[in-house]
Amino acid sequence: MSTVGKALSLLDKLSQLNAEPGLTDVARLCGLDKATARRLLVELEKHGFVEQDPETRKYRIGSAPVRLARVREARYPFLRIAVPFVRELAETSEETVHLAEFSGGALSTIHVEDSPRAHRVIVEIGTHLPFHATASGLAYLAFSGKKQIELALSQPLESFTEHTVTDPAVVRKMIDETIARGFSISSQGLEVGVVSTGAPILSPTGQPIGSITIAAPLVRANAATLNGFGAIVSAAAKRISEKYYGSERPMGTATQARGTG
Amino acid sequence: MSTVGKALSLLDKLSQLNAEPGLTDVARLCGLDKATARRLLVELEKHGFVEQDPETRKYRIGSAPVRLARVREARYPFLRIAVPFVRELAETSEETVHLAEFSGGALSTIHVEDSPRAHRVIVEIGTHLPFHATASGLAYLAFSGKKQIELALSQPLESFTEHTVTDPAVVRKMIDETIARGFSISSQGLEVGVVSTGAPILSPTGQPIGSITIAAPLVRANAATLNGFGAIVSAAAKRISEKYYGSERPMGTATQARGTG
DNA sequence: AAGCACAGGTTCAATATATGAACCATAAGC
DNA sequence: GCTTATGGTTCATATATTGAACCTGTGCTT
């Protein structure tokens, strides 16, 4: 792998952790030598992608991505468009709803709206969602090309709970069902006691760019409920796509008015 | 410079452009060979930091930074804390207000709230703010250490308008005035006809982490107005700092509840 | 339609850069 | 005061990066 690739993977790993790692942790988690990890961290820090706590010497994501994200969202306002629909869905379903985007070969959570109920599913932002074990992943795969499916199923399928489907043939069947239904269902694939209903967000070419998913405690979700969720989540996905690709889309000759500070 | 540094600089350049560049443009702008630029772009694309438009073959910022930014903001919610104050300031001042953060050796705009008036100053998100030519930069420098000031003033000071102060001695004087006043003023330093009033946002150690600035058309701003702006912008900066460092600050043992999709 | 100019993209020998085992320094635990 | 952690550094070696020259396709000119 190129050095740049290693640095970006490091950044990705850093974003997945739920505690700030030290140098040794980073090296171990990324499978790098301590010296290499350090050089990468220093380089990333120079550019603001990583911050080191001056006291604890632990590392964390820096503020540079925030600036890049703002620029990206100013031109391609995926979150700005999608979040209101996620919120609406969370209100009507009374369950936790999350939005994921495909990026860098994986599907990752970029927004979550919690269920108003006390007993609810918690989803963390930044989580990678395995294709075979989540409704988001299945929804994404189902509407991707054949080669994307092959790629995903040719890798070893990790088991997260005793209910995780790890047989590629069975996953394939779930994908077929997802295509037939128009939405995906994953029961306890990643977490025990949780069932999710997801739909892909498609670009005008039909390529999925992400997904929107309702995650509910298993005890609250019977077949009828899930079908209801499937209908509303599919509708929301479609409306997000229409709004994202329909209106907006500026670019080209920007205003060029340089501001001042 | 390390390869990683080049890749990150490329990303930074990409975020500063107001139109999507092609391969040749990227190479030229970053001072790289076409082959090198391509390799970096491909590597960045693999990880979702860059996207290539499949039709026009132009490059743009990808969605990976959005995910990283969400993770960062979930733990260090600078924008979430600061934006309401920026908005309030824009309403009371009736002028454009923008928020900048220091990252990767430069001060960059990360949020803007426009003036409600028809005749208003436009600030673009992602803009780098030169230290000597903007109120944001002066406010930042004034409360930084001596070595930061030396570093900034030892470099050639670019001239953006006929009013830009490019004499280090004069800039030093403006910095002293900023310290005395508690806020900075920059008149037409970056853009003709615009005057700005800025204050630094300080960490508990006294180190500035960013700035908040009111930018007004020169014709609307007399000395009294500017003093008024200075007072409210300083107050806002202080309140942001207190709220950002005061409450929140979680980390440590996160909930560890892995969500599902 | 032949010729030209310029775009994106690729190749491979030369070379600069990244790597990692061994190292030092410091702190905590016993 | 010894052991075992940590963060951090060094430098000969190994490897990834570089860029001039090279395709290839597209659109414009003649």
Side-chain angles (χ1 to χ4, degrees):
Chain A
M1 193 194 282
S2 78
T3 321
V4 176
K6 281 172 203 156
L8 299 179
S9 298
L10 192 161
L11 214 49
D12 195 63
K13 267 280 181 307
L14 208 55
S15 78
Q16 302 250 301
L17 268 34
N18 40 28
E20 299 183 1
L23 173 59
T24 310
D25 303 315
V26 171
R28 185 173 32 79
L29 287 163
C30 301
L32 299 168
D33 187 86
K34 238 180 357 155
T36 304
R38 172 121 239 277
R39 262 179 330 100
L40 295 180
L41 284 165
V42 167
E43 204 63 37
L44 287 163
E45 188 175 24
K46 265 189 207 160
H47 293 261
F49 284 77
V50 155
E51 256 177 31
Q52 183 177 30
D53 192 302
E55 206 179 303
T56 66
R57 304 208 145 174
K58 305 285 187 193
Y59 296 91
R60 70 173 86 102
I61 297 285
S63 56
V66 178
R67 182 170 47 77
L68 295 182
R70 292 247 115 188
V71 172
R72 161 86 184 181
E73 275 285 319
R75 292 173 179 30
Y76 292 85
F78 186 54
L79 277 171
R80 204 183 73 213
I81 300 282
V83 166
F85 291 102
V86 178
R87 196 163 293 155
E88 189 194 316
L89 215 50
E91 277 163 21
T92 56
S93 68
E94 295 195 299
E95 298 293 354
T96 299
V97 177
H98 64 282
L99 185 74
E101 191 168 22
F102 183 79
S103 154
L107 202 57
S108 313
T109 305
I110 56 170
H111 189 80
V112 180
E113 290 287 337
D114 281 342
S115 161
R117 305 204 184 191
H119 175 209
R120 64 184 182 220
V121 179
I122 301 296
V123 179
E124 304 241 350
I125 282 174
T127 322
H128 276 200
L129 303 169
F131 291 115
H132 68 288
T134 64
S136 307
L138 290 172
Y140 184 87
L141 267 196
F143 294 85
S144 300
K146 266 205 173 91
K147 65 177 192 294
Q148 183 79 42
I149 298 178
E150 296 309 320
L151 182 68
L153 298 186
S154 65
Q155 288 165 270
L157 303 181
E158 195 182 339
S159 184
F160 300 96
T161 74
E162 54 185 328
H163 304 93
T164 306
V165 176
T166 55
D167 179 347
V170 180
V171 175
R172 236 176 265 270
K173 212 175 131 194
M174 293 167 80
I175 289 174
D176 290 341
E177 287 167 9
T178 299
I179 296 171
R181 260 198 309 256
F183 61 88
S184 62
I185 297 177
S186 171
S187 183
Q188 311 188 76
L190 186 59
E191 192 82 355
V192 172
V194 174
V195 59
S196 295
T197 317
I201 297 166
L202 304 172
S203 82
T205 66
Q207 171 67 22
I209 59 161
S211 62
I212 179 167
T213 302
I214 304 178
L218 197 60
V219 294
R220 276 210 290 272
N222 57 34
T225 315
L226 289 181
N227 276 324
F229 284 174
I232 61 177
V233 82
S234 303
K238 198 162 168 234
R239 284 196 290 155
I240 291 171
S241 175
E242 277 165 7
K243 189 157 182 190
Y244 184 47
Y245 290 105
S247 58
E248 327 243 356
R249 256 65 227 298
M251 215 61 245
T253 48
T255 52
Q256 177 58 12
R258 180 153 75 212
T260 191
Chain B
M1 192 197 282
S2 77
T3 320
V4 176
K6 281 172 204 158
L8 299 178
S9 298
L10 191 161
L11 215 49
D12 195 63
K13 268 280 181 308
L14 207 55
S15 77
Q16 303 250 301
L17 268 32
N18 40 30
E20 299 182 359
L23 173 59
T24 310
D25 303 314
V26 171
R28 184 173 33 78
L29 287 163
C30 300
L32 299 168
D33 186 85
K34 238 177 2 152
T36 305
R38 173 118 239 276
R39 257 181 334 100
L40 296 180
L41 284 166
V42 167
E43 205 62 39
L44 287 164
E45 188 175 23
K46 266 189 206 161
H47 293 260
F49 285 77
V50 156
E51 254 177 32
Q52 183 176 31
D53 191 302
E55 206 178 304
T56 67
R57 304 207 146 175
K58 306 285 187 193
Y59 296 92
R60 69 174 86 104
I61 297 285
S63 55
V66 177
R67 181 170 47 79
L68 295 181
R70 293 248 114 187
V71 172
R72 161 87 185 182
E73 275 284 321
R75 291 169 176 35
Y76 293 85
F78 186 53
L79 277 170
R80 203 184 74 211
I81 300 282
V83 166
F85 292 102
V86 178
R87 196 163 293 157
E88 188 193 319
L89 215 50
E91 276 163 21
T92 56
S93 68
E94 294 196 300
E95 297 293 354
T96 299
V97 178
H98 63 281
L99 185 74
E101 190 167 24
F102 183 78
S103 154
L107 203 56
S108 313
T109 305
I110 56 170
H111 189 80
V112 180
E113 289 287 336
D114 280 343
S115 160
R117 303 203 185 192
H119 176 210
R120 65 186 180 217
V121 179
I122 301 295
V123 179
E124 304 242 352
I125 281 175
T127 321
H128 275 199
L129 304 168
F131 290 116
H132 67 288
T134 65
S136 308
L138 290 172
Y140 184 89
L141 266 197
F143 294 85
S144 300
K146 264 207 173 89
K147 65 174 191 297
Q148 181 79 42
I149 297 178
E150 296 309 320
L151 180 69
L153 298 185
S154 65
Q155 287 165 271
L157 302 181
E158 196 182 341
S159 184
F160 300 96
T161 75
E162 53 186 329
H163 304 93
T164 306
V165 176
T166 55
D167 179 348
V170 181
V171 176
R172 236 174 266 271
K173 212 176 129 193
M174 292 167 79
I175 289 175
D176 290 341
E177 287 166 10
T178 299
I179 296 170
R181 260 199 309 257
F183 59 89
S184 62
I185 296 176
S186 171
S187 183
Q188 311 187 77
L190 186 58
E191 191 83 354
V192 173
V194 173
V195 60
S196 295
T197 317
I201 297 166
L202 304 172
S203 81
T205 65
Q207 171 68 21
I209 59 160
S211 62
I212 180 166
T213 302
I214 303 178
L218 198 58
V219 294
R220 275 210 289 271
N222 57 34
T225 315
L226 289 181
N227 276 323
F229 284 173
I232 59 176
V233 82
S234 303
K238 198 161 168 234
R239 284 196 290 155
I240 290 170
S241 175
E242 279 165 6
K243 188 156 183 193
Y244 184 46
Y245 290 105
S247 59
E248 328 239 358
R249 257 66 228 298
M251 215 62 245
T253 47
T255 50
Q256 177 59 13
R258 180 154 75 210
T260 192

